[in-house]
Amino acid sequence: MRTSNTQGRLARTISRTALAVTAVALTAACGGTGTDSGDGKTITIYSADGVGSWYTTQFAEFKKKTGISVNLVEAGSGEVVNRVDKEQSNPQADVLVTLPPFIQKAKSSGLLQDSGIDTRFVAASDKDADGKYVTLAGNYLSFIANPSVDTTNLTWDDLLKPEFKGKLQYSTPGQAGDGTAVLILLQNLLGKQGALDYLAALQANNVGPSSSTGKLQAKVDKGELVVANGDVQMNLTTVKDKGSKFTIFFPAAADGKRSTVAVPYVMGLAKGAPHQSEAKQLMEFLLSTDAQKSLPDAFAVPARTELRDAPATGAGPSASTVLKGVEIVNVDWTKVLSDLDADVAAYQKATGQ
């Protein structure tokens, strides 16, 4: 369920204490980056976390077809971009996958190069006109609630009520991509000052800052929190893989309208990639019809236009089902990036975070 105007490009996390390095389909070079393995090339992908299980299956199939192994380094969206930046003198990453506006930041910082791969089957709004990046999988901002909370008609104003004091938390704008998405969505709904006023009021109930959106899921499931932010793909995956019981919802405005913004995974060829040819093969493979058809079962939306409404084959709700009746707000992410530092500074001043 994606339209051509859903250009959401948000980052999942800017800072983390450590990177989670996962060796996927490796042969001999466990933990290495961009090296030759015992029976062929090993390329490295730095990726925002969230689609690890899908990667595992796809990388195994890619190795079977090409003999090329893939080393996956997962972290927050901002952190993977920062790492590529720090390694410019000795590039390690071949492919970068992150969420805007940090993919735009990577481009503006000269960290990406034109891959030259065929992206004609991806909508113009979902790729860079200069060929530096292309959407890999669609995803959307969401909220989650403990089963004790009735989310049927839960509104943004309801979240300001005293009963949520010390039981609500959202990841911090400027540190977490989904948290930044909260700020951007509220700006679109209330205006910039209105968003600041709302978040300043919400601070009375907010547990405190959090650089990780994913870590909030377990807290909601256990009842330590009753409401937190998240994203559709991550939340549905956690329900399936870990049996979480939280409810996925979208707070309503006073008129009952529910809205969200897109937070897709976006892929680019890293500047100075040690294995450019093999990296391009991987990018083409991940955008292939077969790979993209499997995204609904990973609770993401295919980037290929002909597959956007492809149904999931497994049990459980799809992203399209969850998003039914929810308006996807169109966001100018180039503008978001240009204003981001000032907006985060204003947010910090308004909330004291």
Side-chain angles (χ1 to χ4, degrees):
M1 178 173 172
R2 196 207 303 223
T3 59
S4 62
N5 64 351
T6 57
Q7 303 176 36
R9 304 290 190 266
L10 293 173
R12 198 174 303 275
T13 309
I14 292 179
S15 59
R16 261 191 198 184
T17 55
L19 288 174
V21 181
T22 306
V24 181
L26 289 176
T27 51
C30 182
T33 58
T35 58
D36 291 335
S37 63
D39 57 357
K41 293 285 188 180
T42 296
I43 59 177
T44 295
I45 179 170
Y46 285 7
S47 177
D49 48 8
V51 287
S53 58
W54 181 74
Y55 278 146
T56 299
T57 302
Q58 299 309 313
F59 292 167
E61 185 63 25
F62 179 67
K63 177 171 170 43
K64 185 188 301 183
K65 290 187 174 182
T66 66
I68 302 170
S69 300
V70 182
N71 182 37
L72 172 64
V73 179
E74 286 186 297
S77 298
E79 181 58 36
V80 291
V81 173
N82 290 342
R83 179 161 176 169
V84 172
D85 190 20
K86 292 175 182 177
E87 294 174 349
Q88 285 190 74
S89 62
N90 183 28
Q92 299 296 307
D94 293 296
V95 177
L96 175 66
V97 178
T98 188
L99 295 92
F102 293 93
I103 192 68
Q104 286 90 349
K105 180 180 179 180
K107 177 189 174 182
S108 66
S109 300
L111 303 180
L112 301 174
Q113 58 181 310
D114 186 355
S115 66
I117 64 172
D118 184 7
T119 61
R120 288 176 295 177
F121 42 79
V122 178
S125 58
D126 290 331
K127 59 188 176 184
D128 177 44
D130 298 325
K132 298 293 177 64
Y133 56 77
V134 59
T135 294
L136 174 62
N139 192 17
Y140 301 86
L141 170 70
S142 61
F143 282 76
I144 56 175
N146 184 270
S148 62
V149 177
D150 182 4
T151 61
T152 306
N153 298 303
L154 198 63
T155 68
W156 289 102
D157 287 341
D158 287 335
L159 299 181
L160 299 175
K161 293 179 178 179
E163 60 254 41
F164 290 104
K165 185 175 179 62
K167 289 292 185 179
L168 178 151
Q169 192 172 19
Y170 63 95
S171 51
T172 307
Q175 294 186 21
D178 292 324
T180 308
V182 172
L183 176 61
I184 301 305
L185 176 59
L186 287 169
Q187 287 179 345
N188 277 269
L189 296 177
L190 305 173
K192 286 199 174 187
Q193 187 58 51
L196 292 176
D197 293 343
Y198 176 83
L199 291 171
L202 187 64
Q203 196 63 18
N205 292 342
N206 187 21
V207 170
S210 173
S211 63
S212 170
T213 308
K215 290 180 179 179
L216 302 181
Q217 296 181 114
K219 293 181 179 181
V220 173
D221 220 26
K222 295 174 183 176
E224 296 174 23
L225 300 172
V226 295
V227 170
N229 69 318
D231 66 67
V232 171
Q233 190 275 331
M234 176 178 65
N235 294 154
L236 286 174
T237 298
T238 301
V239 169
K240 177 185 176 183
D241 294 348
K242 298 185 178 180
S244 292
K245 303 299 182 183
F246 53 67
T247 303
I248 300 171
F249 76 103
F250 303 86
D255 61 2
K257 182 187 297 183
R258 296 178 298 144
S259 305
T260 189
V261 292
V263 286
Y265 298 89
V266 189
M267 175 173 62
L269 179 65
K271 182 181 178 182
H275 306 93
Q276 293 190 29
S277 177
E278 292 81 3
K280 291 177 183 180
Q281 289 183 64
L282 176 63
M283 294 173 70
E284 290 171 340
F285 176 82
L286 294 177
L287 288 174
S288 68
T289 300
D290 287 343
Q292 289 278 303
K293 281 194 303 187
S294 66
L295 279 169
D297 287 320
F299 307 110
V301 179
R304 297 183 69 104
T305 54
E306 79 274 18
L307 296 176
R308 282 177 179 169
D309 297 321
T313 60
S318 65
S320 297
T321 301
V322 171
L323 289 162
K324 188 175 181 179
V326 180
E327 179 185 358
I328 312 299
V329 175
N330 185 31
V331 176
D332 181 350
W333 293 108
T334 301
K335 176 66 172 167
V336 168
L337 180 62
S338 66
D339 293 351
L340 189 59
D341 288 345
D343 286 347
V344 169
Y347 164 80
Q348 292 170 340
K349 182 178 180 180
T351 62
Q353 290 203 135

